[in-house]
Amino acid sequence: MADEALHGNEDARPLRDYVVPTMNGARSSIARPAIQANNFEIKPAIIQTIQTSVQFAGMPNDDPNAHIANFLEICDTFKQNGVSDNAIRLRLFPFSLRDKAKE
């Protein structure tokens, strides 16, 4: 009877399905700050610079500290009135990730 209860249920899932976290419906806990500027726009050239020079893939030989330092160096090259540094950085950071690091 116990064997029938274990193997007779087609909805039974392996134990690993219960312990592996899923992102279904999960929202990011990072809140981007509001922007007070009327005409805020991140220029495509800035995004392209981030994507070509400071991409982080999450590989064993990638240095996350160097990635952050290089990312901040590029972000510090431009400012916009009414927009905090953190607002700009949080909007640009996803463009600095690729492959395994972006998952």
Side-chain angles (χ1 to χ4, degrees):
M1 187 160 162
D3 190 45
E4 184 178 332
L6 289 174
H7 299 292
N9 186 355
E10 292 183 22
D11 293 332
R13 296 180 2 196
L15 184 58
R16 73 177 166 271
D17 288 352
Y18 292 99
V19 297
V20 175
T22 62
M23 295 300 290
N24 296 342
R27 293 182 36 187
S28 174
S29 61
I30 300 171
R32 296 189 300 183
I35 295 177
Q36 304 302 322
N38 292 331
N39 297 323
F40 175 67
E41 175 186 359
I42 296 176
K43 305 288 185 206
I46 299 293
I47 294 173
Q48 186 176 7
T49 300
I50 297 286
Q51 289 176 326
T52 58
S53 60
V54 294
Q55 287 269 292
F56 182 76
M59 301 302 290
N61 60 337
D62 287 345
D63 182 357
N65 294 315
H67 169 253
I68 295 294
N70 295 332
F71 173 77
L72 293 175
E73 184 177 342
I74 290 173
C75 288
D76 289 343
T77 62
F78 65 96
K79 304 278 185 209
Q80 185 161 346
N81 290 334
V83 182
S84 71
D85 289 344
N86 283 340
I88 293 170
R89 292 170 182 167
L90 286 171
R91 283 165 175 77
L92 284 174
F93 191 74
F95 294 105
S96 75
L97 304 176
R98 66 182 168 95
D99 303 336
K100 184 179 177 183
K102 194 156 188 137
E103 292 176 1

